[in-house]
Amino acid sequence: EKKITIKVVPKTPKIKRVSAPGKRTLSAFWVKDKAADGYQIQFCLKKNFRKGVIDRPLKKSKSSIRLQRLKRGKKYYVRLRSYKKVGKVKFYSKWSSVKQVKIK
């Protein structure tokens, strides 16, 4: 009897665009991954995501998010990763490339 271990890692998601449609508002859009069970998105004022990170878990049905009440005139950096759930364990993909937007 042989035991086989399979590691399930979803594809790295791609952010289509990030925009600032209104005052103190940010919108992010990405390409859906049918194999993923959900997403994790992060927003930050720092490019390296070391401090002050806003973190949001998202359902797999989502392909966009809108954040409000952000700091005016500041640059926000956005990144995204998908996950696949196997039992109680979540396997995460690599982070997407970082996009930036200046808030109005």
Side-chain angles (χ1 to χ4, degrees):
E1 190 175 308
K2 289 184 180 182
K3 190 174 183 181
I4 300 171
T5 305
I6 299 171
K7 191 172 180 183
V8 180
V9 181
K11 286 191 294 185
T12 304
K14 184 176 168 128
I15 298 175
K16 283 196 273 191
R17 75 176 193 277
V18 177
S19 63
K23 290 180 183 176
R24 299 177 63 197
T25 307
L26 180 149
S27 291
F29 303 87
W30 60 89
V31 180
K32 270 190 192 180
D33 181 5
K34 290 176 183 162
D37 289 334
Y39 302 97
Q40 180 185 11
I41 193 161
Q42 288 186 339
F43 304 90
C44 193
L45 288 167
K46 298 188 184 299
K47 202 175 192 176
N48 60 8
F49 289 85
R50 295 276 189 244
K51 233 177 167 183
V53 177
I54 302 168
D55 205 332
R56 294 278 193 288
L58 301 164
K59 295 176 184 171
K60 71 177 182 178
S61 59
K62 290 276 197 178
S63 64
S64 67
I65 189 170
R66 187 178 196 137
L67 243 69
Q68 295 177 318
R69 297 188 295 276
L70 299 173
K71 293 181 183 178
R72 271 190 157 157
K74 297 282 185 180
K75 260 188 198 169
Y76 276 83
Y77 298 91
V78 183
R79 68 182 181 176
L80 175 77
R81 68 180 177 175
S82 57
Y83 66 83
K84 183 79 178 161
K85 207 168 179 181
V86 179
K88 292 184 179 180
V89 181
K90 285 182 183 176
F91 293 97
Y92 288 94
S93 70
K94 290 183 181 177
W95 286 107
S96 67
S97 56
V98 176
K99 298 277 189 182
Q100 69 181 35
V101 65
K102 191 169 183 176
I103 303 301
K104 296 174 192 172

